Amino acid sequence: MAAVKRAAAMMAIGAALAVAPAPAAAWIEPPPYEIPGHGIATCLRDAGDGRIAVLGPLGRTTTPTDVLEIRGDGLARAGRVTLGWLDACAAAVGAGPTVMLAGPVRQRPPAREPVAVHVAATDQVTARVGAATPAAVTSLDVAVAPSGAAVVAWTEQRPDRLGDRPARVLASVRPAGTWRFARPTVLGRARAMREEPLVSAGIDDDGRATVAWRREGGRDLGVPTVDVVTSDVRGRFARPQRLARDGGATGAPALDVAADGRALLAFAGPGAVRAFERRPGGARFEPIRLDGAEAWWADEIAVDVADDGGAVIAWRGGRGSVGAALRAPGTGAFATEQV
């Protein structure tokens, strides 16, 4: 999973969609790859370890997804995943040789509803997570630990009679050694949402899942905040921890969880990038000082954290500026620099 987040960090600091076979190798530009039967791809997703998930057109019955990887001097198809009739682009994550996708799938064409969240992988069958719902799935993330434990988290919204969009945040955990996901748990609700909730998920090797999301509503209406919640090894979630009470969150949260349970969370706040960390075995996230991380309109934040404490936070700021905060293994402070 760390490889996936590291690739996301590279994209966040403006790297092109190219992959180097080794850190010391030069950047390469592979020749164009013609996607058989797909036509124009709907969207691309980083699939980790030098792989790209290419989703074909959102068809009336199915949305085939090719997994491409660098081989020799070009791109080649390493596998194909079929989730079903996707209602929106799927999320992708690499788990060793396997690529897992999760996305909202229409259940009864040609109607747009109901929709259910489906999960599939290059070496496993498709599984439905929870029941179909007429609500719109507006944000989704999936994560897999080296042990095979996995979590999928998403948000649902449905307009009410007053024109508001009440939302629910849900998550489902899969223990290592099985393909069956548990019954989804509602992690949070909001009575009114002017901004869509954006969710990010991670999971450690023991199967403890962490989910973070931006929320707006209730007593904090008009001031978006970030909530984060962690489960035990049985997939039972505790009460959410509220972050960004003193200014709000202007961007979506970025979350990474290392195999030992260490977690790093970052998002854009007014005037600066804000970061929080949870130590291995810890129950709460604590703020991290990032000197010089001023970026009022920061977006596309990506994070990566390793078991040894090494970490990177990368973001794109106003007027195309790019910044990063790096921490070497065994040290406690981040060093911030422009890229």
Side-chain angles (χ1 to χ4, degrees):
M1 181 167 57
V4 177
K5 301 295 183 179
R6 189 172 297 111
M10 292 296 292
M11 281 192 275
I13 60 175
L17 197 58
V19 181
W27 289 98
I28 64 174
E29 183 178 352
Y33 177 85
E34 183 176 353
I35 305 169
H38 276 198
I40 299 175
T42 301
C43 57
L44 304 177
R45 290 291 184 264
D46 169 44
D49 296 332
R51 295 170 298 195
I52 306 165
V54 183
L55 280 73
L58 302 182
R60 287 188 171 273
T61 58
T62 186
T63 308
T65 301
D66 283 341
V67 177
L68 310 181
E69 65 181 6
I70 294 291
R71 291 181 183 174
D73 59 352
L75 286 169
R77 194 175 81 180
R80 172 169 286 185
V81 182
T82 301
L83 277 174
W85 186 20
L86 281 169
D87 194 53
C89 288
V93 65
T98 300
V99 173
M100 180 179 292
L101 298 178
V105 174
R106 303 179 193 179
Q107 302 297 293
R108 191 172 58 244
R112 288 184 57 84
E113 51 188 35
V115 169
V117 174
H118 284 209
V119 179
T122 49
D123 62 350
Q124 293 164 320
V125 297
T126 302
R128 192 173 82 175
V129 182
T133 172
V137 176
T138 56
S139 177
L140 185 146
D141 195 20
V142 61
V144 183
S147 66
V151 58
V152 56
W154 69 97
T155 58
E156 296 179 349
Q157 289 184 279
R158 185 192 311 182
D160 60 17
R161 296 177 182 177
L162 300 178
D164 291 327
R165 295 188 296 160
R168 301 193 306 169
V169 181
L170 302 98
S172 179
V173 179
R174 184 193 74 179
T178 179
W179 180 240
R180 184 180 297 276
F181 281 78
R183 182 177 179 179
T185 300
V186 177
L187 305 180
R189 301 175 186 267
R191 288 174 292 183
M193 303 293 296
R194 290 200 295 264
E195 299 285 344
E196 71 174 40
L198 301 169
V199 67
S200 184
I203 192 167
D204 67 20
D205 234 15
D206 292 331
R208 287 184 291 263
T210 303
V211 180
W213 65 95
R214 187 184 66 179
R215 70 180 298 274
E216 178 185 6
R219 291 176 299 176
D220 298 317
L221 182 62
V223 182
T225 61
V226 170
D227 283 1
V228 60
V229 63
T230 302
S231 77
D232 59 19
V233 294
R234 290 185 170 184
R236 297 175 300 190
F237 287 89
R239 292 178 60 86
Q241 177 185 355
R242 179 70 47 81
L243 305 176
R245 290 181 178 273
D246 57 344
T250 61
L255 171 71
D256 187 33
V257 179
D260 66 352
R262 183 187 299 272
L264 184 62
L265 172 65
F267 55 88
V273 174
R274 307 191 62 180
F276 297 79
E277 186 173 29
R278 186 189 64 209
R279 300 292 181 180
R284 296 182 62 82
F285 282 78
E286 301 297 336
I288 299 172
R289 184 180 179 87
L290 297 178
D291 292 328
E294 292 84 10
W296 185 275
W297 297 111
D299 57 10
E300 295 190 57
I301 295 178
V303 300
D304 179 40
V305 63
D307 292 346
D308 59 12
V312 58
I313 304 170
W315 63 90
R316 186 177 66 182
R319 296 183 179 180
S321 63
V322 175
L326 308 174
R327 184 176 67 191
T331 62
F334 279 83
T336 304
E337 59 185 59
Q338 290 291 111
V339 178

